[in-house]
Amino acid sequence: MHDYAPQALRDVVDDVYRRESRRVLATLIRLLGDFDLAEEALHEAFVAAVEQWRRDGVPANPRAWLVSAGRFKAIDGLRRRSRFDASLLQIAEQLEIDTQSVEEQADASVEDDRLRLIFTCCHPALSADAQVPLTLREVCDLKTEEIARAYLVTPSTIAQRIVRAKAKIRDAKIPYQVPEAAELPSRLASVLRVIYLVFNEGYSASAGDSLTRTDLSAEAIRLGRQLLELLPEAEVMGLLALMLLHESRREARTGEDGQLVLLEHQDRRRWDGAQIDEGRRLIEAALATRRVGPYTLQAAISAVHAVAPDIAGTDWAEIVGLYDMLLGIQPSPVIELNRAVALAMRDGPAAGLEQVDAILARGELQDYHLAHAARADLCRRLSRREDARAAYVRALNLVRQEPERRFLEQRLRELDE
């Protein structure tokens, strides 16, 4: 008999949920063959855990316990509902037969289950605007409201996309599996895009009090490693290298008070040397294939920063050249903006500001707070205080992340002082 205090038990269950819920869900989807049924089973398994773990203690393998409990709850629920729909009884009986070795499956296949789930969520039969929300919701457990903020749309819009995607998977009988080797290359682009979006949400959260979400970026890196084992292609290496090089700077990106620290002011001694070395090795391997793609080029840009002794000693000419190559294969106003910032470091703030103003004049980044923040910084460096103030105010009106908001407010105060 275990007598957990209510708060202590809640803390234990919350910790298990954070660490294991997405893995448990992925396995339940494989076992039950239905997103909604698996999500309901996951919820009921955690409800059962609160009751039973209070009495019996936390099991040695919480993940396997939860998968087993979820499986039982799903089958039991189908049997109860079979009183109103006789076909459900047959489904319940077949599920019981098909999932009898659930404890062994839960441990042996759980990592494969995560990868299966990603390929299912990124299936080409699903629309591009549904793949990312579905993956962020099912694989990463982001709430609908968080996803909506990241994409500047309403929560109801995101919810509808997710519902339609699940219905498509069910109705089209999209297989819950990693594609065969012959299919993998054509399926890769959407998977890489989604993994990088997951990483970005963890490395620079789209909204909220925290600048980063370590769990999401760590999960994206883990998925990148897993994908590289499955498919050692150049762009998979490039993406993993890019994530590692960004992640290497995590500890230096915030001060003790949680305040944002820009690259130029970061203590480079706090950068993770092991991640930098691994990232550089991956870039070299990717470049050796001579199949250079956008992730490899972005990783190469990050590597230039990683080896520079400080902001003044950075090879900005090389960075501008790499951005030129990147724009040649992946035109994007955000990439243009990043190039403009690098150009300002190479040729001076006036050259960079001319490019930023041209981008904003086209209207493509008018609602992107970093574009206005970049313009404000360049105007500040040119002593155009009123223009800088107006741009900082515009950026403040658009920013959704609290540490970035505080940083912009500090910049405004410094202008006045």
Side-chain angles (χ1 to χ4, degrees):
M1 177 72 177
H2 291 257
D3 188 20
Y4 278 101
Q7 185 59 49
L9 178 64
R10 191 176 301 115
D11 291 343
V12 168
V13 173
D14 286 348
D15 180 63
V16 172
Y17 185 90
R18 282 191 297 271
R19 288 187 290 107
E20 304 289 3
S21 64
R22 295 301 101 184
R23 293 179 173 86
V24 173
L25 177 64
T27 299
L28 287 172
I29 291 172
R30 170 171 60 83
L31 294 171
L32 303 175
D34 184 276
F35 276 80
D36 293 333
L37 185 61
E39 288 169 0
E40 182 181 347
L42 175 72
H43 174 74
E44 292 190 356
F46 272 95
V47 171
V50 171
E51 180 61 34
Q52 193 161 330
W53 294 0
R54 180 185 292 115
R55 184 179 66 247
D56 301 335
V58 179
N61 190 335
R63 181 195 301 161
W65 189 99
L66 288 160
V67 170
S68 183
R71 163 188 172 269
F72 172 79
K73 293 290 185 182
I75 293 171
D76 189 51
L78 287 171
R79 282 183 171 143
R80 286 197 310 272
R81 293 197 287 271
S82 69
R83 289 177 293 177
F84 307 101
D85 184 347
S87 65
L88 294 178
L89 181 59
Q90 183 179 355
I91 295 173
E93 290 173 348
Q94 189 61 48
L95 277 177
E96 187 164 27
I97 294 169
D98 292 343
T99 62
Q100 282 179 342
S101 57
V102 63
E103 278 83 2
E104 291 80 4
Q105 293 180 47
D107 276 341
S109 302
V110 66
E111 299 308 329
D112 286 344
D113 285 338
R114 306 299 301 281
L115 206 52
R116 288 188 188 100
L117 183 54
I118 285 182
F119 272 99
T120 301
C121 292
C122 300
H123 195 279
L126 303 177
S127 65
D129 65 358
Q131 290 175 359
V132 175
L134 184 64
T135 304
L136 291 174
R137 180 71 194 93
E138 302 302 328
V139 178
C140 303
D141 199 26
L142 262 67
K143 295 179 176 60
T144 305
E145 291 76 14
E146 292 177 298
I147 302 169
R149 283 198 298 267
Y151 288 92
L152 304 177
V153 297
T154 64
S156 62
T157 299
I158 292 296
Q160 288 167 7
R161 291 177 187 174
I162 291 172
V163 168
R164 285 197 295 267
K166 289 179 183 177
K168 179 72 173 180
I169 291 169
R170 181 188 64 245
D171 298 341
K173 295 182 170 54
I174 291 174
Y176 180 70
Q177 64 187 29
V178 175
E180 297 296 327
E183 295 179 75
L184 271 174
S186 64
R187 295 277 301 278
L188 187 59
S190 61
V191 173
L192 292 177
R193 180 173 61 90
V194 168
I195 291 176
Y196 191 41
L197 286 167
V198 171
F199 176 82
N200 277 335
E201 183 61 28
Y203 185 72
S204 183
S206 57
D209 295 333
S210 176
L211 181 67
T212 64
R213 288 187 57 173
T214 309
D215 56 332
L216 287 184
S217 51
E219 175 65 15
I221 289 172
R222 191 193 65 76
L223 291 170
R225 292 189 192 282
Q226 201 171 349
L227 189 60
L228 183 60
E229 290 180 12
L230 180 71
L231 191 67
E233 289 285 334
E235 274 295 79
V236 182
M237 298 176 201
L239 174 60
L240 180 56
L242 177 60
M243 294 190 295
L244 287 167
L245 289 166
H246 281 327
E247 187 70 8
S248 71
R249 302 199 295 263
R250 175 185 291 277
E251 293 302 317
R253 292 180 65 225
T254 53
E256 292 181 1
D257 57 356
Q259 191 79 340
L260 175 66
V261 179
L262 294 183
L263 178 66
E264 60 191 285
H265 298 131
Q266 287 175 15
D267 181 353
R268 298 184 181 218
R269 293 169 299 180
R270 298 180 66 192
W271 290 2
D272 189 316
Q275 289 181 323
I276 291 172
D277 290 343
E278 183 182 0
R280 293 179 67 194
R281 286 194 299 271
L282 285 164
I283 294 168
E284 290 172 5
L287 291 173
T289 68
R290 299 186 180 277
R291 295 192 300 273
V292 176
Y295 294 112
T296 301
L297 286 173
Q298 290 177 75
I301 291 167
S302 291
V304 176
H305 288 295
V307 300
D310 50 39
I311 203 74
T314 302
D315 191 341
W316 291 106
E318 183 176 359
I319 289 177
V320 172
L322 287 167
Y323 272 125
D324 286 337
M325 293 175 63
L326 184 57
L327 282 168
I329 62 174
Q330 191 181 63
S332 157
V334 173
I335 295 173
E336 283 187 68
L337 176 67
N338 292 335
R339 181 190 179 280
V341 172
L343 188 70
M345 298 302 295
R346 189 190 73 178
D347 298 343
L353 182 60
E354 181 181 354
Q355 297 295 312
V356 172
D357 282 345
I359 297 167
L360 288 170
R362 298 201 307 262
E364 294 168 300
L365 297 182
Q366 279 296 337
D367 294 329
Y368 187 49
H369 74 280
L370 291 178
H372 297 283
R375 185 178 195 278
D377 184 63
L378 294 172
C379 288
R380 179 182 63 84
R381 288 164 60 187
L382 290 166
S383 299
R384 291 170 51 176
R385 292 177 57 189
E386 291 308 313
D387 289 336
R389 179 179 289 104
Y392 278 132
V393 169
R394 176 66 174 149
L396 269 169
N397 289 335
L398 294 168
V399 73
R400 295 177 178 275
Q401 190 190 78
E402 195 55 36
E404 288 186 325
R405 178 181 300 282
R406 292 197 299 269
F407 173 81
L408 292 170
E409 289 171 343
Q410 176 62 29
R411 284 294 206 209
L412 267 175
R413 286 194 295 270
E414 289 170 358
L415 272 182
D416 292 335
E417 291 168 0

